[in-house]
Amino acid sequence: MHKAKVAIFISGGGTNMAALLYASLLDGAPFDVVLVASNNADAGGLEIAAAEGIPTFVHSHKGHSREDHDAAMEAALVKANADYLVLAGYMRILSDEFVKRWEGRILNIHPSLLPKYKGLDTHKRAIDAGDSHGGASVHIVTPELDAGEVLAQVRVAIRDDETPESLADRVKFAEHQLYPRAVADYVSRGYDADYLYERVRKLALALPETHARDSHGSPGFRVGTEKSGKFFAHFNNQHHGQEHIAVLVKTSGMDELLDLVEGQPDVYFKPAYYGASGWIGLILNRPGVDWDHVSEWLERSWRSVAPARLTRLMDAADEF
Ligand code: GAR
């Protein structure tokens, strides 16, 4: 099984980090913790990580610009060979450039039911508003604070005599269940055929005049009418015994196909049968798939078979 390498940044007690770390030690866990790093040398979680033999790294933010501090933390991430960065009570805002470089690979846990109560004092704000529940959310980190896609949430009841402290304690119990599950699901989804198919389907059907149609037992996508449409993509889930989950798209011919397969064998392969007529396999079950690249290939393949009246429309749209 593929195991994702996860680095965790903490600033404080690190109880969420500990929940993630011990979840990663269970049989069948889809991720390993390869680094625990902090901006605070006193962060309690550092000792827990060290006790389990996990590499730790500390770099105080004091006396450094945000960019310089981030650069030191990022260097530790790169050195640890991390695929993902998981923030667990890391009380620093990451610079936009850092977040962009790690786009889609940073998760955070926030102690509220987002989109409610971004920022600080979340428990007090939920109690003061008279909410029936507080809770926690796991979300993808984007440059805008606490605003990325929410992946999972857990609700925690607010009692009549609730204080921010008592609610914070119970939310943490809930977080310890939520975070390991959400991280496991997220790092696994790039290997999940249903998830990958859904992404390809969305991109393929966003192109003009397209529809889905099975071909030889695998899903495919065609452009043109239901009657006379032409295939521009096929989705393969470990077809003919190969290990790849892939989308097949049309190259300009065998020269280009062989060049790509030889030059980037971790990205491309020559599929059985289809390869002979210039279809190339774009491997999707691998780390760091660039979905803009997949989208460009789909459009190119679509263009190669779409009727001229549709490609002309596309060209006109591209000019704006
Ligand atoms: C957690 O409750 C987490 O949701 C919160 O800090 C706590 C860290 O506890 N995070 C934020 O407020 C982020 N803005 P821990 O160090 O014991 O895991």
Side-chain angles (χ1 to χ4, degrees):
M1 183 177 77
H2 172 86
K3 279 206 176 203
K5 297 189 191 70
V6 165
I8 306 177
F9 283 6
I10 60 173
S11 296
T15 64
N16 277 289
M17 181 283 301
L20 288 161
L21 168 54
Y22 289 109
S24 79
L25 299 179
L26 297 177
D27 278 352
F31 63 91
D32 283 324
V33 177
V34 294
L35 172 74
V36 174
S38 180
N39 60 315
N40 171 14
D42 300 326
L46 290 168
E47 278 181 22
I48 301 175
E52 299 298 342
I54 307 295
T56 59
F57 175 79
V58 180
H59 190 77
S60 171
H61 58 281
K62 290 184 188 145
H64 297 282
S65 69
R66 185 175 308 285
E67 282 68 27
D68 287 353
H69 183 257
D70 280 3
M73 298 293 279
E74 188 173 2
L77 274 183
V78 171
K79 191 170 158 230
N81 219 351
D83 303 315
Y84 295 90
L85 169 58
V86 170
L87 307 179
Y90 185 61
M91 302 309 271
R92 305 263 314 152
I93 292 173
L94 297 170
S95 59
D96 288 1
E97 290 66 33
F98 184 130
V99 173
K100 280 183 199 141
R101 274 195 294 281
W102 287 77
E103 197 186 326
R105 295 190 290 153
I106 313 179
L107 301 186
N108 182 42
I109 191 159
H110 181 76
S112 80
L113 295 172
L114 289 171
K116 280 185 159 180
Y117 316 127
K118 296 174 181 172
L120 299 175
D121 289 329
T122 53
H123 306 302
K124 179 172 181 341
R125 287 155 71 201
I127 295 167
D128 289 352
D131 292 356
S132 66
H133 288 80
S137 308
V138 174
H139 65 94
I140 299 177
V141 174
T142 56
E144 197 188 334
L145 183 71
D146 300 333
E149 181 194 346
V150 171
L151 299 171
Q153 292 187 313
V154 60
R155 284 155 55 88
V156 175
I158 295 180
R159 301 175 305 199
D160 290 345
D161 59 348
E162 203 75 79
T163 65
E165 294 72 30
S166 64
L167 180 57
D169 285 349
R170 295 207 317 293
V171 165
K172 274 207 191 175
F173 287 130
E175 288 184 333
H176 299 163
Q177 302 301 314
L178 177 72
Y179 214 2
R181 162 94 75 95
V183 170
D185 286 351
Y186 190 69
V187 303
S188 306
R189 75 183 193 180
Y191 300 85
D192 176 65
D194 291 341
Y195 169 80
L196 293 170
Y197 173 69
E198 202 41 44
R199 276 200 88 154
V200 169
R201 194 183 72 88
K202 271 209 186 105
L203 292 174
L205 296 184
L207 293 162
E209 226 172 274
T210 48
H211 56 271
R213 171 79 59 91
D214 281 4
S215 158
H216 301 287
S218 283
F221 301 95
R222 306 201 319 168
V223 54
T225 61
E226 286 281 347
K227 212 167 150 206
S228 66
K230 291 204 172 92
F231 280 102
F232 66 96
H234 297 277
F235 183 81
N236 273 192
N237 179 12
Q238 295 164 330
H239 218 48
H240 297 294
Q242 38 102 352
E243 83 259 38
H244 309 305
I245 302 176
V247 59
L248 310 190
V249 286
K250 287 196 106 157
T251 59
S252 58
M254 203 50 69
D255 286 347
E256 186 189 20
L257 189 156
L258 293 177
D259 267 2
L260 288 170
V261 171
E262 232 168 75
Q264 297 171 74
D266 49 335
V267 179
Y268 299 104
F269 69 102
K270 184 178 172 205
Y273 309 110
Y274 287 96
S277 41
W279 291 85
I280 198 165
L282 198 48
I283 303 167
L284 301 174
N285 55 339
R286 64 187 173 87
V289 172
D290 176 350
W291 284 94
D292 289 338
H293 183 237
V294 176
S295 175
E296 281 158 21
W297 262 114
L298 285 168
E299 181 179 331
R300 187 184 146 183
S301 195
W302 175 92
R303 275 177 181 282
S304 72
V305 291
R309 72 183 158 83
L310 290 178
T311 55
R312 273 200 300 271
L313 272 181
M314 193 75 140
D315 290 339
D318 283 350
E319 273 179 31
F320 287 99

